């Protein structure tokens, strides 16, 4: 499936090197185990460039090791950055893009103080910049800003809690604190009408229009850094029990392809966007239900065929 995507023209593969799955325990990274799980060298052999994702991420699902959750804040921050440093020491020359932190504005299962999270982002980015050839990135959560402001602010525009921020607000505050000085790229997730699988709690969300996508790119470009659409996926089916949104009609393989073609075209047309990644390659265990480029048997879906033609047309120009 990955080779199919590579042959179509996708050339950047994301590898989720979660701390709990790659832990060095103060020693060396176990590259053999990581290779068995993630196939880093196999992806490179297929011609992919690589992006490291989720190494610094305050998330469940085994991404944070169990013992980390019991650590005091300062100890947790130190250990998390030590793990990041160990991964960089092992893989810095292997990757092209390295994420400093994922979802710092909303994901914090251990309740790390906001100041500590900001420090972790800043220090993680500084570690990455010790390898000049690496592009550093901060990534936003899939919620975007299409309603979060109404969930985390009161009607007089004061913060409802000390933690949650819209991604744009968070980045603006981080920029004012000089915490983005070593960040090269702003990452944005884009999941219109998502219905996540059961392992992610079956979360659902509204479908934003392509015009909303244009507005979002223009807004984040104001931060003065290039943009990567780090995650993009949408369903190719719509169950009658779902309450998530859809575009024009309940999702079908054809509608998925239509929407994807429009989004990729808009991203390609915007000089501030330097990459766009489709998140779900296969429908098997896809994060977005039926969000894959290929079905569960590995057969290309209309969305893959449409994007293949689109990428081929760009390469001819």
């Amino acid at each position: 499936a990955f080779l199919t995507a590579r042959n179509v023209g996708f050339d950047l593969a994301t590898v989720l090197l979660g701390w709990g799955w790659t832990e060095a325990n103060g020693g060396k990274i176990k590259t053999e185990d990581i290779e068995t799980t993630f196939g880093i060298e196999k992806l490179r052999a297929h011609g992919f460039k690589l992006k490291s994702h989720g190494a610094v991420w305050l998330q469940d699902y085994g991404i944070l090791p169990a013992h980390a959750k019991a650590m005091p804040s300062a100890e947790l921050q130190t250990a998390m950055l030590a793990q990041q440093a160990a991964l960089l020491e092992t893989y810095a020359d292997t990757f092209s893009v390295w994420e400093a932190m994922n979802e710092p504005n909303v994901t914090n299962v251990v309740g790390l103080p906001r100041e500590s999270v900001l420090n972790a982002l800043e220090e993680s980015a500084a570690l990455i910049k010790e390898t000049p050839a690496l592009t550093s990135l901060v990534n936003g959560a899939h919620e975007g800003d299409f309603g979060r402001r109404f969930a985390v602010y009161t009607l007089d525009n004061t913060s409802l809690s000390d933690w949650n921020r819209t991604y744009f607000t968070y980045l603006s505050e981080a920029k004012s604190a000089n915490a983005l000085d070593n960040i090269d790229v702003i990452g944005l997730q884009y999941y219109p009408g998502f219905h996540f699988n059961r392992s992610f709690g079956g979360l659902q969300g509204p479908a934003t229009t392509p015009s909303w996508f244009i507005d979002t790119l223009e807004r984040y470009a104001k931060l003065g850094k290039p943009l990567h659409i780090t995650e993009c996926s949408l369903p190719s089916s719509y169950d009658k029990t779902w309450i998530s949104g859809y575009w024009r009609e309940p999702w079908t393989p054809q509608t998925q392809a239509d929407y994807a073609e429009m989004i990729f075209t808009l991203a390609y047309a915007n000089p501030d966007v330097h990459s766009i990644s489709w998140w779900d390659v296969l429908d098997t265990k896809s994060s977005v239900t039926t969000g894959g480029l290929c079905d569960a048997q590995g057969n290309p879906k209309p969305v893959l065929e449409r994007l293949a033609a689109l990428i081929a047309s760009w390469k001819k120009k």
Side-chain angles (χ1 to χ4, degrees), residues 21-314:
W21 305 331
T22 61
E23 185 157 25
N25 287 318
K28 293 289 185 181
I29 296 293
K30 296 179 179 178
T31 55
E32 185 176 340
D33 292 346
I34 291 174
E35 180 59 31
T36 299
T37 302
F38 295 101
I40 290 172
E41 292 305 319
K42 290 182 179 179
L43 289 168
R44 293 181 74 196
H46 284 326
F48 281 105
K49 293 179 289 185
L50 300 177
K51 169 180 168 277
S52 172
H53 166 62
V56 179
W57 189 11
L58 300 171
Q59 181 60 284
D60 274 325
Y61 311 111
I63 291 165
L64 272 182
H67 67 85
K69 297 180 181 180
M71 290 180 179
S73 296
E75 184 181 341
L76 171 59
Q77 182 181 337
T78 299
M80 185 166 56
L81 291 170
Q83 171 69 12
Q84 175 83 305
L87 286 169
L88 283 163
E89 181 182 0
T90 304
Y91 289 116
D93 295 335
T94 306
F95 285 72
S96 298
V97 181
W98 199 285
E99 184 183 86
M101 196 167 195
N102 191 36
E103 303 176 353
N105 61 310
V106 292
T107 304
N108 186 359
V109 298
V110 291
L112 203 64
R114 178 169 295 282
E115 183 179 357
S116 297
V117 175
L118 190 65
N119 289 340
L121 170 62
E122 185 175 8
E123 292 183 29
S124 178
L127 284 171
I128 296 166
K129 295 312 292 179
E130 291 177 7
T131 304
L134 269 181
T135 296
S136 60
L137 177 146
V138 60
N139 202 31
H142 67 86
E143 292 91 348
D145 289 352
F146 56 67
R148 177 160 290 278
R149 71 188 67 180
F150 304 109
V152 300
Y153 289 91
T154 62
L155 294 178
D156 62 359
N157 204 36
T158 57
S159 178
L160 191 63
S161 74
D162 186 54
W163 176 251
N164 284 303
R165 296 285 192 278
T166 67
Y167 187 42
F168 188 82
T169 298
Y170 181 86
L171 292 180
S172 299
E173 293 172 353
K175 184 178 180 180
S176 297
N178 300 318
L180 299 186
D181 288 357
N182 286 312
I183 293 292
D184 298 317
V185 170
I186 301 298
L188 301 170
Q189 300 179 25
Y190 191 59
Y191 289 114
F194 66 88
H195 186 290
F196 285 151
N197 67 36
R198 290 182 180 178
S199 65
F200 292 114
L203 294 173
Q204 302 181 57
T208 52
T209 64
S211 61
W212 184 92
F213 182 69
I214 295 172
D215 291 342
T216 298
L217 297 180
E218 291 178 350
R219 179 153 41 95
Y220 281 90
K222 293 176 182 177
L223 293 167
K225 296 181 184 290
L227 306 176
H228 283 205
I229 312 305
T230 55
E231 303 176 29
C232 177
S233 187
L234 49 136
S236 58
S237 65
Y238 194 87
D239 189 274
K240 63 181 181 181
T241 64
W242 292 7
I243 58 172
S244 57
Y246 50 81
W247 177 62
R248 301 190 312 193
E249 62 185 3
W251 298 111
T252 66
Q254 183 68 33
T255 308
Q256 181 194 41
D258 291 346
Y259 193 102
E261 180 179 27
M262 187 172 293
I263 291 303
F264 270 66
T265 301
L266 293 170
Y268 182 78
N270 189 318
D272 293 311
V273 179
H274 288 202
S275 86
I276 179 168
S277 298
W278 193 270
W279 191 246
D280 293 315
V281 178
L282 279 165
D283 276 348
T284 306
K285 208 177 179 181
S286 58
S287 56
V288 172
T289 304
T290 66
L293 296 172
C294 301
D295 64 22
Q297 289 71 46
N299 301 311
K301 293 161 63 175
V303 63
L304 182 65
E305 296 168 349
R306 189 76 64 82
L307 293 178
L310 194 62
I311 294 170
S313 73
W314 294 335

Side-chain angles (χ1 to χ4, degrees), residues 2-10 304-305 307-309 311-312 315:
F2 274 85
L3 184 57
T4 298
R6 180 68 190 95
N7 290 338
V8 163
F10 288 94
L304 182 65
E305 296 168 349
L307 293 178
I311 294 170
K315 290 184 174 182

